[in-house]
Amino acid sequence: MLHFFMRGGVVVIAMLASYFGSTQFRSTNPQDFVMGGGILVVSLLVIFLFTRRFWKHFGCFTTLGLIAILMGGMVFFVAGPDMFKNLAMVITGKATETVQNVKETAAETIATQTAGQVPPEEETVPQQPQFITGNVQLYKAGDTFVLQGYVFKLYAIASPLREQRCTWSNGMDYECGTVSAQKLKEFIENDPVTCRVMSINKKGEVLAACSIKDAEGNSMDLGAYMVEEGWAIALPAINPIYVPYQERAQQNQKGLWAGTFLAPWEWIEEQNRIRTEAAQVKVPKIKIKAPDVLKKGKSIFDHF
C-alpha cells in the first residue's frame, strides 16, 4: 500500500510540474518555450514510468500515447489558443524583433532626477508610450511581474525584494518581500493587466503604469493600490503622484508602516556590508596536541 501511495505521489508531482510547464507557452520568449517543453518531456516520461501497471492492459506504446494526449489537452487548456500564435512568433523570430523594436525607440539621454533618493537601477531610458495588455505569468515581487514574456516593474514605486525581511511593531521579523508579492497577486487575481510603458531601467525591466478593471469597468492603478496598502513606497524623485497614497498608509500604519523596514536598495547595501564584514573575519587556527595513546609507536592496548 505504501508503495502504491509513493507512486501516486510522484505522478501527482509530475502533473503539477507539467501544469507549470504549460504556463510557459503563454509567453513569446523562446527561453520560456524551451523550459516549458523540457518540463513537459520530463513529466511525461516520469508519469509513463510510474504507470507500468497500465502497460499490461493497454500496451506500452498505447499507454504512452494516452498520456501524451491527456498532457497535450492540458497544455492547450492552460496555455489557450494563443499558444500557437506565440509558437509561430518564436519560430519566425518576431518575438525577438518586438523586444528589439522597444529598445530601438529609446532616446540617447538618461532622465535626470532632482529630488529624493532613487535606486541606481531606476535610472531609466525614456521610451515612446505604448500599451500592453495580458495576464500576469509570474510574480517576482510586489512591484515586479512577468507579462507577455517581459519583466515589468511598476512605475515610480518600490516594494521589498522577494528575499527581504522586515520587522513588525512587536519585534517579530517576517518575509515582507514575499508578503508584498502575495498582496499584488491577490489584488490582480486572474484579471488582465494593462500597462502603459514609460521606460526601461538598467536591468532591462520595463517600467510601466499598470492597472486592472473593477466590476464596473473603472481602472484601478496597481501602484496606487500597493502604496496605499503600505506594501510599497513611493519614489517622488521619479514621479510624486503616489506620495498622497503613501501618506495615508503611514497615518493608518498599514503594511510595511506597521513596523520597521529598509528601502530595497538600502537592504541590498546592508546585506553587502554584512557579507563583506563576514569575509574579513579571520578564524584562528587551533593546534590540537595528540594524546600519548595516539603517538606513533604506541598502541592503545599498551595501556591496559
Side-chain angles (χ1 to χ4, degrees), residues 26 41 53 58 72 130 234 280:
R26 298 174 181 171
V41 170
R53 292 186 177 182
F58 302 105
Q130 55 182 302
Q280 294 174 348

Side-chain angles (χ1 to χ4, degrees), residues 214-258:
D214 63 10
E216 299 177 354
N218 300 315
S219 294
M220 297 185 294
D221 187 86
L222 300 184
Y225 171 80
M226 292 299 292
V227 174
E228 188 169 19
E229 290 298 310
W231 294 111
I233 59 175
L235 299 177
I238 296 178
N239 194 316
I241 189 173
Y242 295 118
V243 171
Y245 298 94
Q246 178 167 299
E247 291 175 350
R248 285 197 290 270
Q250 288 177 286
Q251 292 172 359
N252 297 324
Q253 294 185 334
K254 301 182 71 174
L256 301 171
W257 304 104

Side-chain angles (χ1 to χ4, degrees), residues 107-160:
E108 294 181 356
T109 58
I110 296 178
T112 303
Q113 308 300 336
T114 58
Q117 186 177 10
V118 181
E121 66 271 13
E122 295 303 317
E123 296 178 1
T124 60
V125 178
Q127 301 292 303
Q128 293 181 356
Q130 55 182 302
F131 290 87
I132 297 178
T133 301
N135 292 100
V136 176
Q137 300 162 269
L138 177 66
Y139 293 88
K140 300 174 71 69
D143 62 350
T144 310
F145 52 84
V146 178
L147 179 70
Q148 298 288 358
Y150 309 121
V151 178
F152 278 76
K153 190 175 180 65
L154 295 178
Y155 177 71
I157 73 168
S159 74

